[in-house]
Amino acid sequence: MKENTLVSEFDFQVSSFFEKNKIVLTEKVTVCAGVSGGADSISLLVSLCHLSLKKGFPLKIISVNHKIRADEESDSDCEYVKSLCKTFKKNGINVECEIYSLRRGEVFECAEKRSNGIEEAARFLRYKAFFKFAEKHNSSIFCVAHNKNDQCETLLMRFLQGSRGGLQGIFEKREIFYRPLLNVTRSQIEEYLNFFNIKWVTDSTNSCEDYLRNKIRLKLIPFLNDFFPGWDKAVLSGGKKALADEVFLRGCSDSFEIQSDFSGPEKKVYFSLDTFQKLPEAIKIRVLYRTFDLFMEEKRISFGVIEEFLNKIERSAEKKSDFFENISIWSLTVKNNVIFIKKRKKIATEKGFSAIIESEGTYVFPFGSVKVEKALDGIKIIFYANGNTLTFYEKSFPLCIKNFETSDEVKTSFGKYKNISDVFTDWHVKKIHKDLIPLVQELYSPLQEIKFIPGSLFGYKDWVQK
């Protein structure tokens, strides 16, 4: 059957992508790709197979099973990818497929450790597997299947989340990762697969509105399509401009000299106060993010922490005096015109606590105890402290009960975020109580928001997310 225009244009888009990035594909160049079974990655697999047949390069495919869904569903998706590769191999294409399975519960553990949500944790572990896979096959080319629709969704997500990288979108190339479909739409992808009568699988979590990306895809984008035609072109154009700005600003911040000393038991990073103060604020922000990155800190550094550092450094510079203060898990020292930043060690006498709760039971904390029971609409959480009893209902497991940290924020009824330290200030919380008042944080969605603060256990107000 003669290929139609759409198919030839699709394959041309993929082959020209490599030419644009000055990659000469030969039998000596191994190309890797991540394929989940969804339409995007399956179309990438098909097109790469076509290209492999023409150029002769070996194609190595990895399908990652995150073990988030039921085994029957997630296992079958990976097996479908493997069977498709076997079919292509029988047709003379040099392609091999490997299934990589995470341990069940590993994504949730990673989400708690990184404090960035389940979606981000799954991505982190997936790309970790991708790096190892590419290294195993001695390849510097790993293809992933982000498309034009993903780009729009990502830009909207980053705007709503206040991303540290600003409104930049997905890079066409970053490190070893290449995205040949970034200028291809989802409708083109489906038409391409339908032409070859190749099926794809749909992840059941795609319809779960607990994930921010799904909310954007299922709710926000249809609304924008109905009432703001052409919004996507404007967003993509803005993303390109923001990306150009971000590349320039990062380049400027990279030239700022940061020194580090990780030789001893106490790791520290330091740089000149005077030189730092002469920088524009946009560069200062990126210098601080670079500083925290040196510690290989996995938890998200909120912009609230960055602002607090900027304010404290500014105050020290104005007073022209030495300065020391703990900010979240960090310590900031200004001495002899040098800024020192260290990561604080956990002190045994601190009242800090954090527990992930995934089942019914009674749990003991420094402030008292908590009993968790199943209820008709979700789960019932009963707090016992100082002779007081307080009940709160949550949607589902898992959840985290923890003490307050400086970077913690709550979502107000207006949709904006407020630092919990400001909430405690409004309540006139005594210093002795700040480390004891528990927070209830949901872990079943990528946002992992604080849902409840039972302040009345200590004679203050309660805060409940509306």
Side-chain angles (χ1 to χ4, degrees):
M1 181 183 291
K2 188 178 179 180
E3 291 186 347
N4 66 9
T5 305
L6 181 139
V7 171
S8 59
E9 286 181 354
F10 193 102
D11 286 345
F12 175 76
Q13 180 88 287
V14 173
S15 62
S16 61
F17 173 86
F18 289 102
E19 292 173 9
K20 173 186 172 184
N21 284 279
K22 298 186 169 106
I23 297 172
V24 180
L25 297 171
T26 69
E27 65 277 358
K28 295 181 180 180
V29 177
T30 300
V31 175
C32 298
V35 180
S36 66
D40 305 340
S41 60
I42 292 293
S43 71
L44 176 63
L45 169 62
V46 173
S47 191
L48 287 175
C49 282
H50 292 167
L51 195 55
S52 171
L53 197 58
K54 293 177 182 177
K55 302 287 186 179
F57 62 85
L59 184 56
K60 306 296 182 182
I61 302 299
I62 180 173
S63 187
V64 178
N65 187 344
H66 298 88
K67 292 288 185 179
I68 295 175
R69 298 171 288 155
D71 285 339
E72 183 180 352
E73 183 181 354
S74 57
D75 291 352
S76 65
D77 290 358
C78 292
E79 289 298 336
Y80 171 65
V81 174
K82 195 167 187 177
S83 67
L84 197 58
C85 288
K86 285 181 179 178
T87 301
F88 286 128
K89 189 173 181 66
K90 287 178 183 177
N91 292 329
I93 297 168
N94 186 1
V95 58
E96 302 282 350
C97 178
E98 177 183 314
I99 296 174
Y100 179 84
S101 294
L102 298 174
R103 176 174 45 81
R104 184 162 291 282
E106 189 173 353
V107 173
F108 291 97
E109 292 170 9
C110 182
E112 168 61 17
K113 185 179 179 181
R114 292 173 63 80
S115 300
N116 285 340
I118 294 170
E119 193 174 14
E120 190 277 339
R123 182 187 182 281
F124 172 79
L125 293 172
R126 181 168 64 251
Y127 274 77
K128 191 175 179 181
F130 289 170
F131 267 114
K132 288 183 179 178
F133 185 76
E135 188 177 52
K136 172 184 173 182
H137 293 287
N138 194 28
S139 174
S140 60
I141 304 168
F142 194 107
C143 295
V144 285
H146 294 100
N147 60 52
K148 204 169 191 176
N149 296 57
D150 293 326
Q151 183 74 289
C152 284
E153 292 168 6
T154 298
L155 287 166
L156 290 172
M157 279 181 68
R158 289 181 176 170
F159 172 76
L160 294 172
Q161 291 176 319
S163 169
R164 68 174 267 187
L167 298 183
Q168 63 183 41
I170 304 169
F171 289 81
E172 277 194 351
K173 175 191 178 299
R174 197 166 197 175
E175 297 176 310
I176 65 170
F177 296 104
Y178 292 82
R179 297 173 173 87
L181 305 184
L182 207 52
N183 290 313
V184 178
T185 65
R186 172 71 184 205
S187 61
Q188 289 174 311
I189 285 168
E190 294 185 4
E191 285 181 48
Y192 179 78
L193 292 178
N194 286 332
F195 177 85
F196 293 106
N197 198 27
I198 295 176
K199 68 175 185 176
W200 63 87
V201 296
T202 302
D203 189 332
S204 62
T205 61
N206 287 348
S207 60
C208 175
E209 292 183 15
D210 288 337
Y211 297 97
L212 177 59
R213 183 177 290 276
N214 289 353
K215 285 181 182 177
I216 290 170
R217 182 180 299 157
L218 301 173
K219 298 290 186 181
L220 180 56
I221 288 179
F223 173 81
L224 293 173
N225 288 338
D226 288 341
F227 294 98
F228 299 93
W231 68 271
D232 50 338
K233 292 180 182 178
V235 167
L236 289 170
S237 177
K240 286 181 180 178
K241 294 174 185 174
L243 177 58
D245 290 345
E246 184 61 25
V247 169
F248 172 74
L249 291 171
R250 284 191 184 182
C252 293
S253 70
D254 287 346
S255 64
F256 182 82
E257 185 178 2
I258 300 176
Q259 298 185 68
S260 60
D261 182 2
F262 289 174
S263 59
E266 192 173 52
K267 298 178 180 180
K268 62 183 177 183
V269 174
Y270 53 98
F271 45 85
S272 164
L273 171 62
D274 282 346
T275 309
F276 181 79
Q277 283 300 96
K278 292 175 183 176
L279 298 174
E281 186 165 345
I283 307 301
K284 286 181 180 178
I285 291 168
R286 284 157 181 83
V287 166
L288 287 176
Y289 275 126
R290 270 183 62 210
T291 298
F292 295 130
D293 286 343
L294 291 173
F295 288 92
M296 303 296 288
E297 173 62 23
E298 291 188 335
K299 289 192 175 184
R300 180 179 72 91
I301 307 298
S302 74
F303 187 64
V305 170
I306 297 292
E307 283 188 310
E308 195 162 354
F309 266 86
L310 290 174
N311 291 336
K312 302 298 184 185
I313 292 170
E314 181 68 30
R315 191 180 306 170
S316 176
E318 287 176 354
K319 291 183 177 181
K320 296 182 179 179
S321 61
D322 291 347
F323 177 86
F324 171 80
E325 187 160 331
N326 289 324
I327 301 173
S328 184
I329 61 172
W330 308 95
S331 71
L332 167 66
T333 304
V334 178
K335 189 174 182 180
N336 298 328
N337 203 41
V338 178
I339 297 172
F340 296 88
I341 295 176
K342 303 175 186 178
K343 187 175 179 182
R344 295 168 59 203
K345 289 185 177 180
K346 188 73 174 178
I347 302 170
T349 56
E350 285 186 355
K351 297 175 183 176
F353 56 88
S354 175
I356 297 176
I357 297 176
E358 299 180 289
S359 60
E360 294 181 282
T362 299
Y363 302 84
V364 179
F365 295 92
F367 64 84
S369 63
V370 174
K371 186 176 181 181
V372 182
E373 304 173 345
K374 287 185 179 178
L376 290 176
D377 302 3
I379 54 175
K380 181 180 181 181
I381 308 167
I382 309 170
F383 293 86
Y384 303 93
N386 300 318
N388 297 320
T389 302
L390 187 62
T391 301
F392 176 69
Y393 291 87
E394 184 50 287
K395 184 177 177 180
S396 68
F397 294 113
L399 61 93
C400 178
I401 294 180
K402 58 183 285 265
N403 69 308
F404 152 76
E405 291 184 84
T406 309
S407 59
D408 286 326
E409 297 173 321
V410 290
K411 189 176 182 180
T412 69
S413 56
F414 300 102
K416 295 184 178 181
Y417 285 87
K418 183 175 182 177
N419 196 283
I420 291 180
S421 62
D422 294 331
V423 174
F424 283 176
T425 298
D426 294 342
W427 290 356
H428 303 290
V429 174
K430 295 178 181 178
K431 188 175 182 179
I432 194 173
H433 291 149
K434 283 188 176 181
D435 290 329
L436 288 175
I437 296 176
L439 314 177
V440 178
Q441 180 182 17
E442 55 88 0
L443 300 179
Y444 50 79
S445 84
L447 296 179
Q448 297 194 350
E449 294 179 324
I450 305 296
K451 303 297 285 294
F452 182 53
I453 307 175
S456 61
L457 293 174
F458 295 87
Y460 306 105
K461 297 178 181 179
D462 292 327
W463 184 91
V464 183
Q465 186 184 76
K466 303 297 183 183

